[in-house]
Amino acid sequence: MNIGIIGAGQLGRMLALAGYPLGQRFVFVDLDPDAPGAQVGRIIPGHFDDPAALGALAEAVDIVTFDVENVPQDAAEAVAARVPFFPPPAALGAGQDRLTEKRLFAELGIPTAPHAAVDSQAGLEAAVAAVGLPAILKTRRLGYDGRGQLRLETTADLDGAFAALGGVPAILEGFVPFERELSLVGVRSRNGETAFWPLAENSHAHGILRQTRAPWDDAALQALAERHLRALLERFDYVGVLTVEFFLLDGVLLANEMAPRVHNSGHWTIEGAVTSQFENHVRAILGLPLGSTQATGHAAMVNFIGRMPPLDDVLAIEGAHYHDYGKTARPNRKLGHCTVVCATAVERDAALARLAALA
Ligand code: AMP
């Protein structure tokens, strides 16, 4: 099959790398002719909502998926009218607005942080009265990796805060003093088969994922997270990989956000699980049997942000797998990652400490 991917970032590149052994071929749409996908497939130049580029993609391939969350839902629907398109555009749309996403979680019985809509500076003050401080003000749309967010500690921080985020519709979320951040990556195939990887534990800095350790071994939490993810998969008659990021607080999983795609916190599955999130996404959208999501050991993934450490230093760590996305270095840009898989959690944590020192 020829598979079209809207977006040729590292996620698209890793999808293609997983799909080639299955005999699939890949074409991308991206504005940047040197995006990571260019190393592994043809790029049709264009923005994610460019009707000409998306039309050319639909013409060239048998099935379309995406590696970016900001494909407008109506552009996705236009492609879906011409060629099978997964995950469903409705799931894409639901994840694009933090307020409707939280309402969806509430409707499905998935707990979240306390929150309120904010459409003006006066609205912000009312929201703070309802939600309390500290809190985080986030733009409803187009925020990711910590962009479009403002932390509010005291009432003095409210001054000009709505304007500072651009005066766009926003949401105020109570700050969650979480014990851990966990994420669950799951997958549903065209024939309805589902599978879930073990929970992963994530650490962020400045809103950007730095490290993931998996599996996070807690059977009760795993079952709870799977129940939440399954509700979302069923809601959308979903096909492909879906990720939900949670805060763990007092034994409760509060959903922070969902990503209707393969996810950075699932990169460890390339070497750390029987079947990776990338391969299972390809299998799911093609309606092929899903592969086992079992962990093969204790894995840790470290992101390389802003600079790549020397290849030989990383590979000197036994069991380290280096992934260089081939991107130009820029501050705060995800350029690559590395995963180690060890027989025990203790060995994994020792390897992680060495890796983190290089990152
Ligand atoms: P997000 O862009 O919503 O994924 O936020 C990025 C990161 O900021 C999260 O992974 C958390 O580390 C932190 N964060 C976001 N929202 C909250 C919150 N309501 N309470 C505490 N930390 C948060």
Side-chain angles (χ1 to χ4, degrees), residues 98 113 136 138 143-146 149 173-178 181 204 207 245 247 256-257:
R98 290 185 188 274
I136 304 184
K138 302 181 178 179
Y144 65 98
D145 281 351
Q149 299 193 9
E173 288 180 21
F175 183 81
V176 179
F178 55 79
E181 289 192 84
H204 293 80
E245 293 183 83
F247 301 128
N256 177 32
E257 58 184 4

Side-chain angles (χ1 to χ4, degrees), residues 76-233:
E77 273 160 4
V79 178
R82 297 184 53 177
V83 64
F85 183 100
F86 303 110
L92 185 59
Q96 286 171 345
D97 181 325
R98 290 185 188 274
L99 186 64
T100 53
E101 184 180 53
K102 289 242 171 7
R103 287 184 177 148
L104 172 68
F105 290 150
E107 203 186 311
L108 296 174
I110 305 172
T112 65
H115 58 274
V118 172
D119 293 313
S120 64
Q121 182 66 27
L124 173 60
E125 279 152 33
V128 166
V131 169
L133 290 175
I136 304 184
L137 184 64
K138 302 181 178 179
T139 58
R140 279 174 59 175
R141 303 183 70 85
L142 298 177
Y144 65 98
D145 281 351
R147 285 177 237 194
Q149 299 193 9
L150 214 54
R151 183 147 170 194
L152 308 175
E153 302 282 349
T154 68
T155 47
D157 297 335
L158 268 63
D159 285 348
F162 182 68
L165 273 193
V168 293
I171 178 172
L172 186 77
E173 288 180 21
F175 183 81
V176 179
F178 55 79
E179 292 141 34
R180 311 227 166 248
E181 289 192 84
L182 301 173
S183 59
L184 187 71
V185 184
V187 59
R188 185 171 180 275
S189 167
R190 274 168 94 161
N191 55 26
E193 184 186 1
T194 55
F196 302 91
W197 282 269
L199 277 168
E201 184 217 13
N202 302 315
S203 50
H204 293 80
H206 310 295
I208 304 181
L209 181 67
R210 305 286 152 157
Q211 295 179 8
T212 296
R213 294 189 301 172
W216 183 260
D217 209 359
D218 182 319
L221 283 184
Q222 179 77 30
L224 185 60
E226 287 186 13
R227 199 172 78 212
H228 294 332
L229 208 70
R230 194 182 292 283
L232 288 161
L233 292 172

